[in-house]
Amino acid sequence: MAIISQIEDQEKTGIDVRANDLIRETKVLTIARLAIMLVDLFGLDEPFKKVGKHSGQEIEMYFTELDGYITFILASERENFDCVAEKANSPIARLIITVEEDKILNLISSIIRSKNNLFSLIKFLKYIIPGKAKIKGSYVAAIKLIRCLMIGKHDVYSYNGGSFA
């Protein structure tokens, strides 16, 4: 009897581990899809024109709490910007996000809602300095990715106090 209950416990544990892995992968994939969708809908062409020689290179974003990767492929045109929810083959830079799981969307949202200017890049330092985000590899390429993700200059973010109707 003890052997049967031990096998059942191992099966339940295995199922729980696989379920947790699936949940984490789904969260990472959702973040990747959200980023691509927002850049497609509201992204500006200006930062993509400044990608230059980094076009076609991979930049990896790693979420330590989710143990998941998003690989962004830089492009000089917004329509060609893409990402996949997997580890990069040969990334030129790694952006490591070390915030708690419930604060990951806040950090990504903060980056996305920022305007593509020097002041917003300086505001991004509030994540770099305390270690909530780390850049390994090419800082220039990582900053170009961050600038491509910043869509805060789009008209959808301007509100003049009138009605939305």
Side-chain angles (χ1 to χ4, degrees), residues 97-160:
I97 309 296
T98 60
V99 295
E100 298 169 4
E101 184 176 340
D102 58 336
K103 295 183 181 179
I104 290 174
L105 279 179
N106 290 340
L107 185 141
I108 298 295
S109 174
S110 173
I111 293 171
I112 288 174
R113 287 182 290 123
S114 298
K115 293 183 179 183
N116 177 17
N117 57 26
L118 184 61
F119 182 68
S120 294
L121 288 175
I122 292 170
K123 281 178 39 179
F124 181 68
L125 288 175
K126 73 180 180 182
Y127 299 113
I128 297 287
I129 292 172
K132 294 178 181 179
K134 300 173 186 172
I135 298 174
K136 293 193 176 188
S138 173
Y139 281 86
V140 174
I143 289 172
K144 288 189 188 255
L145 168 68
I146 291 167
R147 292 187 79 169
C148 288
L149 293 174
M150 291 178 169
I151 60 173
K153 282 187 180 179
H154 193 274
D155 294 339
V156 77
Y157 290 107
S158 64
Y159 176 70
N160 296 330

Side-chain angles (χ1 to χ4, degrees), residues 20-53:
N20 287 334
D21 287 346
L22 182 62
I23 290 170
R24 286 187 291 114
E25 288 175 17
T26 303
K27 288 179 181 180
V28 171
L29 185 60
T30 302
I31 292 169
R33 285 186 178 166
L34 176 67
I36 287 297
M37 183 176 60
L38 288 173
V39 170
D40 280 346
L41 291 174
F42 306 117
L44 304 172
D45 292 329
E46 175 190 331
F48 290 96
K49 292 177 182 174
K50 295 181 179 180
V51 168
K53 68 178 184 176

Side-chain angles (χ1 to χ4, degrees), residues 45-105:
D45 292 329
E46 175 190 331
F48 290 96
K49 292 177 182 174
K50 295 181 179 180
V51 168
K53 68 178 184 176
H54 296 288
S55 182
Q57 295 181 335
E58 297 177 329
I59 299 179
E60 183 178 86
M61 187 178 290
Y62 175 64
F63 301 97
T64 57
E65 286 289 316
L66 297 174
D67 192 29
Y69 296 88
I70 299 176
T71 300
F72 292 92
I73 296 123
L74 287 178
S76 56
E77 294 180 13
R78 182 172 48 100
E79 295 81 23
N80 298 334
F81 183 69
D82 197 16
C83 73
V84 291
E86 62 184 35
K87 190 172 170 85
N89 294 328
S90 59
I92 189 166
R94 284 189 175 91
L95 187 59
I96 302 167
I97 309 296
T98 60
V99 295
E100 298 169 4
E101 184 176 340
D102 58 336
K103 295 183 181 179
I104 290 174
L105 279 179

